[in-house]
Amino acid sequence: MVDALVSFAIEKLGNVLVDEVAMSVRVTNDIEKLSSTFKSIQAMLEDAESQRLKNKAVKIWLEKIKDVAYDVDDIIDEWTTETLRSQAADEGDVSCFSKNNVRSFLSPVTCFKHVMLRHRIGSRIKEARGRLDDISKEARQLGLSVASGERERVDTVVRQHEIRKRETSSQVDRSSIVGREDDKKKVLDFLLRESSQEVTDVPVVISIVGMGGLGKTTLAQLAYNDEEVKRHFDVKIWVCVSEDFDVKRITKLMIESATGSPCNLEGLDLLQSHLRDILHSKRFLLVLDDIWSEDRRTWDGLRLPFQAGALGSRIVITTRSENVARAMRNTHMCKLEALSDDECWLLFSSEALEHRSTTERSELEEIGWKIVKKCGGVPLAAKTLGSAMQSRTTRSQWELVLESEIWNLVDVMEGILPALLLSYYDLPPALKQCFTYCSIFPKDWEIEKDKIVKLWVAQGFIGSDTSKDMEEIGGGYFDDLLKRSLLQDAVMVDDKIFECKMHDLVHDLAQFVAGNDCSIMKITQRAIFNLNKVRHSSLPFPGPGAFEVTSIPSSFYKVHKLRTLLIFPESELSIYFALRLLKMSEMEKVRSCSVLHNLFHHLRCLRALEMSGTKISRLPRTVRQLKQLRYLDLSDSMIEELPEELIACKNLQSLILNFCRFLKRLPREMRKLISLRHLELRGTELGYLPKGIGRLTSLQTLTDFIVGGNDGCELGELKHLKLLRGLLYISQLQKASSQEEAKQAELNEKMHLHTLILSYSYGEVVGDEEKRRAEVVLQGLQPHTNLKVLKIWHYRGSKFPDWMGDPSFSNLISVELSDCTECEELPPLWNLPMLRELQIVGCPLLKQRYKMGGDDRHKIAHISDLRMS
């Protein structure tokens, strides 16, 4: 993870040099030298990472680099934040520093503050440069070397970690295999099945995919050695590919496996010609075990001789990544799942309890079963833990293992860690940070994709790409971790990944590589090892009942460099019901605000803060000190109002207030939160949104837009929010004055919205004038034709707008009409080719016409999910 921090530090320093010409010449020189030293150290990180597990001095050296990189990141963030504040404070003036060589001026007071800030930043940059120079000198004492040529990073790490380069054979020890019968049947079916669609130049490719240690190679060995498979294929070839996907090397190994003799040919052309002759008109089975490369071009170069084989030839690959499987043009995929506890027990007990007496077995079995649950269904873990228990003869020794983290057991770590560590080292630097950050959630936690991506963005883990926004890049990172089997159990909602889990052993790996950076705290925990090193922490609290912020451990006040603090309930359902019944006394409100006042005073480096499900009614004014805050989640809390001081958090990107049922209002000056990208207000009972929301032009998420009110927004405020995506719920539409106002919202320009909810006040009795106004307003709210879901609630017009049912809305799949009591006729929804769901609730006139045998019933009968009530 150090390489990622150093890379981002170099990038940020470069941005300062390019963009901020206000820096003095002396500070600029220090920045240039600091960046240069980082680059020199970066060249030695590969060697250092390869030694960190075996050399404690190198591990300490890497920790020092990490500390400086974090501090430099803080310094640059302070500079950019204060610059942003200066610009906002002098809105309407011109700035005293130039960008793009355009000279302008700020007020004298602001210029003075800017000079003082520049001086303070310069001093801190100089101090960081001195520390880094000392670290660079230590590298020579440690004998670290600069990486040479284009060595593969993973291969170097594996070699120098003394994790031997993996080599497998086709031989299999059947006596040690448990489970996988169904998986074996599936693979055999793929191997032996004949297909009339096969072509000679593309043999069927079967991929076996799963995380390290699940038994991919063992399954391939079982299939390879099956008697029916032996009879079915003329030629069988087994090659362990590992990290080095070298076409020449692999081709030579294929020849040697097929012939059983050494191959002395050298040129690739000679090798491939010889392999072609071997495979000519023969039905062959090729197993390529443990593939890592995602380069489709190398695969295309390797597979040329396979065209000589006969129909029915098969290729089996094993890999940890779905991306690799797709690059190998796989036809069938077999994803390995974890074993059951019973199956793991058989593996574990065959190692741990072998040759023990009946008395010993009966004494240890109960503890053994509990240890097996730590294996998480991974056969490698069960066998390794079982082997480690062989030398432990007493019940107390087994209990110590049960109570400890498995990574504290050296013999276990040596067995399991290398199998998983390769997956970590194969990640790009940015993805390493994202992966290790997931360790702040408890084991078996359902990690929501949208939430974790916003947290990654808040921490600056997402690199810049002008062609994509940060959330899109982060979503790709999440998908990549899933495809690499580092995340699993994907839950899909509307054909999109909603959440995933992390396997317990993978979670242990993430905690292991994160070290002191990430920590999960307990309410009763009073100390953390090396508090100053903790950067990201969570505090999950048990239900039922809301969390008293006065219960926050006092040790948190010592974690001055904390960047993430997530306080959330372990059971969301229990908190939801508890909060509906709870009330806070004035004394409780004062106490909780006092605790937060002290907390914010100490934790000024926070980028992400969550306090969901907590008993908190308001934030203290010291929230203004959280200048780096980018993510604030108060969902399901008892918050009643947000202080005006919140607008001092100019970096705030995500403000999440879902189901804050006591929330009365937002800050009047919300428009000054110019970095805001996500404002989530689902389930709140706000009466209005403050005017000026339309100035937040970076907004991508605005779940709720409330029309009107004394200090509220008009629909026209939506005009400039061109980046809105996902869901938009517009309520209180009866307060909209005209069709012209509705058109000013320019919903037809918002191409990224997929769900639109249009709602009027429930139960309101209206006259003819109000009905006509409702009709023209709804007509003016025509959305973009990309819309997928449309819901109209409590509409009091007599007819629906003309745009509903227009064939141009070819992406619309669901329509809900609720409490539209005055409408007698549906728009021509039968013209919408993709419409699959129509729900009509509380619309008596529509129900009578379309459900009770009316003439138009047949028009909507084709809709697969038609519900009327």
Side-chain angles (χ1 to χ4, degrees):
M1 194 171 72
V2 179
D3 52 353
L5 289 169
V6 170
S7 297
F8 280 122
I10 292 171
E11 181 183 350
K12 284 195 171 186
L13 289 168
N15 291 339
V16 170
L17 288 171
V18 171
D19 294 336
E20 304 296 352
V21 297
M23 285 290 187
S24 66
V25 174
R26 180 176 63 82
V27 176
T28 299
N29 289 339
D30 282 333
I31 292 176
E32 288 175 342
K33 291 176 181 178
L34 182 62
S35 180
S36 177
T37 307
F38 265 129
K39 290 175 182 177
S40 298
I41 288 175
Q42 187 179 40
M44 292 181 280
L45 288 179
E46 183 179 299
D47 189 27
E49 285 284 0
S50 70
Q51 298 185 39
R52 65 177 300 205
L53 287 183
K54 300 294 184 181
N55 190 326
K56 187 174 182 180
V58 171
K59 182 179 179 180
I60 294 172
W61 184 79
L62 287 168
E63 288 293 326
K64 291 179 180 178
I65 297 170
K66 191 162 62 173
D67 287 342
V68 176
Y70 272 127
D71 290 345
V72 168
D73 189 48
D74 287 337
I75 293 168
I76 296 172
D77 275 356
E78 182 181 346
W79 166 257
T80 54
T81 298
E82 291 301 328
T83 299
L84 198 64
R85 285 164 58 88
S86 296
Q87 288 177 298
D90 285 80
E91 189 176 353
D93 296 341
V94 285
S95 70
C96 71
F97 58 88
S98 63
K99 279 192 176 184
N100 301 324
N101 297 320
V102 178
R103 191 68 180 171
S104 49
F105 301 92
L106 275 180
S107 68
V109 172
T110 302
C111 284
F112 175 74
K113 290 181 179 178
H114 205 71
V115 170
M116 295 300 294
L117 170 66
R118 190 171 62 192
H119 176 75
R120 186 171 72 252
I121 295 295
S123 298
R124 293 175 64 189
I125 287 285
K126 186 174 182 179
E127 187 267 340
R129 178 193 158 197
R131 288 164 59 197
L132 200 63
D133 286 344
D134 292 340
I135 292 170
S136 182
K137 292 174 184 176
E138 287 182 38
R140 292 190 288 273
Q141 298 171 4
L142 294 170
L144 298 174
S145 60
V146 175
S148 58
E150 295 296 324
R151 292 187 305 178
E152 285 288 336
R153 181 179 71 256
V154 175
D155 184 58
T156 302
V157 171
V158 172
R159 184 171 61 251
Q160 297 199 15
H161 264 305
E162 299 179 10
I163 302 172
R164 296 174 183 172
K165 186 175 180 180
R166 188 162 183 260
E167 189 171 348
T168 63
S169 76
S170 62
Q171 303 305 306
V172 60
D173 179 10
R174 297 179 185 274
S175 64
S176 65
I177 297 173
V178 172
R180 301 302 180 211
E181 288 82 6
D182 292 341
D183 294 312
K184 179 186 175 183
K185 289 178 183 177
K186 184 187 297 185
V187 173
L188 289 178
D189 181 54
F190 290 152
L191 290 179
L192 303 174
R193 181 195 307 165
E194 299 290 345
S195 173
S196 60
Q197 298 179 345
E198 291 182 32
V199 293
T200 56
D201 61 339
V202 185
V204 171
V205 179
I206 302 154
S207 59
I208 302 174
V209 181
M211 64 173 278
L214 275 184
K216 300 182 293 296
T217 298
T218 301
L219 177 58
Q221 290 168 335
L222 282 172
Y224 189 88
N225 289 283
D226 182 82
E227 291 300 325
E228 190 173 355
V229 168
K230 289 179 180 179
R231 293 190 296 269
H232 187 76
F233 293 98
D234 304 315
V235 179
K236 290 167 63 202
I237 302 171
W238 181 285
V239 174
C240 180
V241 178
S242 197
E243 297 81 35
D244 182 18
F245 198 107
D246 180 83
V247 173
K248 183 178 174 181
R249 178 184 72 85
I250 296 172
T251 304
K252 180 178 284 192
L253 290 174
M254 286 192 289
I255 293 171
E256 292 176 347
S257 178
T259 62
S261 303
C263 176
N264 297 318
L265 299 174
E266 290 300 330
L268 179 60
D269 183 61
L270 288 173
L271 288 167
Q272 291 197 326
S273 295
H274 188 34
L275 181 60
R276 179 183 287 271
D277 292 340
I278 293 172
L279 301 179
H280 183 68
S281 297
K282 293 188 176 73
R283 181 188 290 165
F284 69 86
L285 169 62
L286 167 63
V287 175
L288 296 173
D289 186 37
D290 197 26
I291 298 182
W292 291 77
S293 174
E294 299 179 9
D295 189 348
R296 178 170 287 191
R297 293 171 298 178
T298 57
W299 167 247
D300 289 340
L302 178 70
R303 70 187 182 95
L304 292 174
F306 304 155
Q307 299 172 9
L311 283 175
S313 295
R314 297 289 188 265
I315 299 172
V316 176
I317 69 168
T318 71
T319 180
R320 303 181 186 203
S321 170
E322 292 181 31
N323 288 336
V324 171
R326 293 189 179 92
M328 302 297 108
R329 304 177 191 272
N330 82 130
T331 311
H332 306 285
M333 182 182 298
C334 177
K335 291 196 70 173
L336 288 195
E337 304 296 337
L339 297 180
S340 68
D341 285 345
D342 289 338
E343 291 167 332
C344 277
W345 171 254
L346 292 175
L347 288 172
F348 174 85
S349 60
S350 66
E351 298 281 345
L353 300 177
E354 190 178 20
H355 306 307
R356 295 184 190 264
S357 67
T358 303
T359 302
E360 285 181 305
R361 292 177 69 96
S362 62
E363 185 179 2
L364 299 174
E365 278 186 358
E366 180 185 354
I367 306 173
W369 270 101
K370 293 177 181 178
I371 293 174
V372 160
K373 293 185 182 298
K374 286 178 172 278
C375 300
V378 176
L380 174 63
K383 293 182 70 174
T384 306
L385 269 169
S387 178
M389 303 310 293
Q390 285 180 352
S391 60
R392 292 165 169 81
T393 58
T394 67
R395 181 182 178 90
S396 60
Q397 288 176 329
W398 278 48
E399 287 174 341
L400 284 174
V401 173
L402 177 63
E403 294 167 2
S404 70
E405 289 296 326
I406 63 171
W407 297 124
N408 293 333
L409 305 174
V410 175
D411 45 357
V412 173
M413 186 181 76
E414 289 293 332
I416 302 173
L417 183 58
L420 298 177
L421 196 59
L422 286 172
S423 297
Y424 171 75
Y425 281 120
D426 190 52
L427 296 174
L431 222 55
K432 285 181 180 177
Q433 283 190 306
C434 295
F435 168 69
T436 55
Y437 190 83
C438 292
S439 67
I440 66 172
F441 294 103
K443 286 185 177 180
D444 204 37
W445 192 256
E446 295 168 344
I447 303 174
E448 293 181 23
K449 179 177 181 179
D450 180 69
K451 176 175 181 174
I452 195 66
V453 167
K454 288 173 182 172
L455 287 167
W456 288 341
V457 171
Q459 297 301 329
F461 295 163
I462 310 300
S464 58
D465 184 337
T466 54
S467 63
K468 299 179 181 179
D469 64 48
M470 291 184 288
E471 287 79 6
E472 185 179 356
I473 298 171
Y477 287 178
F478 187 95
D479 295 344
D480 201 0
L481 290 175
L482 179 63
K483 291 171 184 174
R484 292 171 182 264
S485 303
L486 293 173
L487 293 175
Q488 63 179 27
D489 298 341
V491 175
M492 308 295 290
V493 176
D494 296 331
D495 297 325
K496 293 183 179 179
I497 299 171
F498 176 68
E499 63 188 18
C500 287
K501 289 184 179 181
M502 182 176 272
H503 191 282
D504 283 359
L505 288 181
V506 176
H507 190 279
D508 287 334
L509 170 68
Q511 287 185 317
F512 177 80
V513 294
N516 293 327
D517 271 20
C518 299
S519 169
I520 301 176
M521 284 279 287
K522 302 295 182 184
I523 296 174
T524 56
Q525 194 170 348
R526 298 303 176 193
I528 310 174
F529 174 75
N530 204 347
L531 288 170
N532 289 330
K533 301 295 183 182
V534 178
R535 308 285 178 171
H536 311 287
S537 185
S538 66
L539 180 60
F541 60 90
F547 179 72
E548 299 273 5
V549 295
T550 53
S551 300
I552 295 175
S554 58
S555 52
F556 268 113
Y557 296 133
K558 301 177 183 178
V559 195
H560 298 292
K561 296 183 178 180
L562 200 65
R563 291 171 166 235
T564 302
L565 174 57
L566 307 182
I567 303 173
F568 50 79
E570 292 177 347
S571 174
E572 294 183 10
L573 189 62
S574 62
I575 294 299
Y576 171 78
F577 287 110
L579 282 174
R580 297 184 66 180
L581 303 174
L582 284 173
K583 287 188 177 181
M584 291 183 70
S585 68
E586 288 303 315
M587 184 60 70
E588 286 179 312
K589 293 179 181 180
V590 171
R591 281 202 303 265
S592 64
C593 199
S594 176
V595 168
L596 293 178
H597 170 87
N598 293 328
L599 192 69
F600 294 167
H601 180 72
H602 287 86
L603 305 183
R604 299 193 181 195
C605 291
L606 277 180
R607 268 79 170 165
L609 174 63
E610 177 179 354
M611 293 186 290
S612 60
T614 60
K615 290 183 70 174
I616 169 180
S617 63
R618 58 181 181 268
L619 296 178
R621 293 181 177 181
T622 47
V623 70
R624 63 177 178 270
Q625 296 176 345
L626 305 182
K627 297 177 182 179
Q628 306 304 331
L629 193 65
R630 288 153 167 81
Y631 178 96
L632 178 60
D633 185 353
L634 302 174
S635 298
D636 290 298
S637 72
M638 303 180 73
I639 195 78
E640 296 175 0
E641 60 180 320
L642 298 175
E644 289 296 325
E645 285 78 7
L646 184 65
I647 65 168
C649 302
K650 300 298 181 187
N651 286 304
L652 192 62
Q653 299 168 344
S654 300
L655 179 57
I656 304 174
L657 303 166
N658 295 325
F659 304 105
C660 292
R661 302 184 184 279
F662 300 96
L663 185 63
K664 300 183 181 77
R665 56 182 172 272
L666 299 175
R668 292 190 304 275
E669 303 293 318
M670 278 283 292
R671 65 182 182 276
K672 294 185 178 180
L673 291 174
I674 56 177
S675 300
L676 201 62
R677 302 165 70 87
H678 307 283
L679 178 57
E680 299 187 22
L681 302 166
R682 295 194 310 274
T684 63
E685 297 180 8
L686 288 168
Y688 66 93
L689 293 183
K691 290 181 179 178
I693 290 291
R695 296 191 185 185
L696 304 178
T697 54
S698 295
L699 270 183
Q700 296 183 9
T701 305
L702 177 60
T703 56
D704 295 58
F705 184 88
I706 306 161
V707 179
N710 293 333
D711 299 311
C713 296
E714 295 183 351
L715 281 170
E717 295 256 18
L718 289 168
K719 176 178 182 179
H720 299 293
L721 305 183
K722 300 183 182 298
L723 302 180
L724 288 182
R725 60 188 61 214
L727 178 148
L728 175 62
Y729 171 31
I730 305 178
S731 62
Q732 302 294 322
L733 274 171
Q734 73 278 0
K735 296 180 181 178
S737 60
S738 64
Q739 184 174 10
E740 186 60 33
E741 180 188 346
K743 285 184 175 180
Q744 287 176 1
E746 295 188 357
L747 294 187
N748 61 336
E749 298 293 327
K750 295 170 176 46
M751 60 184 298
H752 300 295
L753 286 180
H754 64 67
T755 299
L756 179 63
I757 304 175
L758 303 174
S759 177
Y760 291 75
S761 181
Y762 176 72
E764 187 173 286
V765 179
V766 296
D768 292 340
E769 179 60 32
E770 287 79 9
K771 289 181 182 179
R772 284 192 292 270
R773 186 164 67 238
E775 291 171 4
V776 297
V777 166
L778 201 59
Q779 180 68 39
L781 291 174
Q782 178 175 340
H784 194 278
T785 54
N786 284 349
L787 196 70
K788 293 183 178 181
V789 178
L790 173 65
K791 300 182 180 183
I792 300 177
W793 296 345
H794 319 308
Y795 176 56
R796 289 296 179 262
S798 300
K799 62 179 181 178
F800 290 104
D802 296 339
W803 52 264
M804 284 183 66
D806 190 294
S808 63
F809 285 88
S810 57
N811 296 295
L812 202 60
I813 61 175
S814 176
V815 172
E816 177 185 322
L817 305 174
S818 178
D819 192 38
C820 303
T821 55
E822 302 298 321
C823 291
E824 299 182 12
E825 184 176 356
L826 282 174
L829 298 177
W830 42 87
N831 291 334
L832 305 178
M834 296 299 293
L835 188 64
R836 297 291 178 267
E837 180 183 36
L838 174 60
Q839 185 170 1
I840 302 175
V841 180
C843 304
L845 300 181
L846 289 176
K847 180 180 178 181
Q848 181 179 356
R849 179 163 186 173
Y850 292 97
K851 189 176 183 181
M852 305 304 290
D855 294 339
D856 295 331
R857 179 68 176 82
H858 67 282
K859 294 182 180 179
I860 58 175
H862 71 284
I863 298 174
S864 58
D865 190 358
L866 175 61
R867 287 173 285 172
M868 293 187 180
S869 58

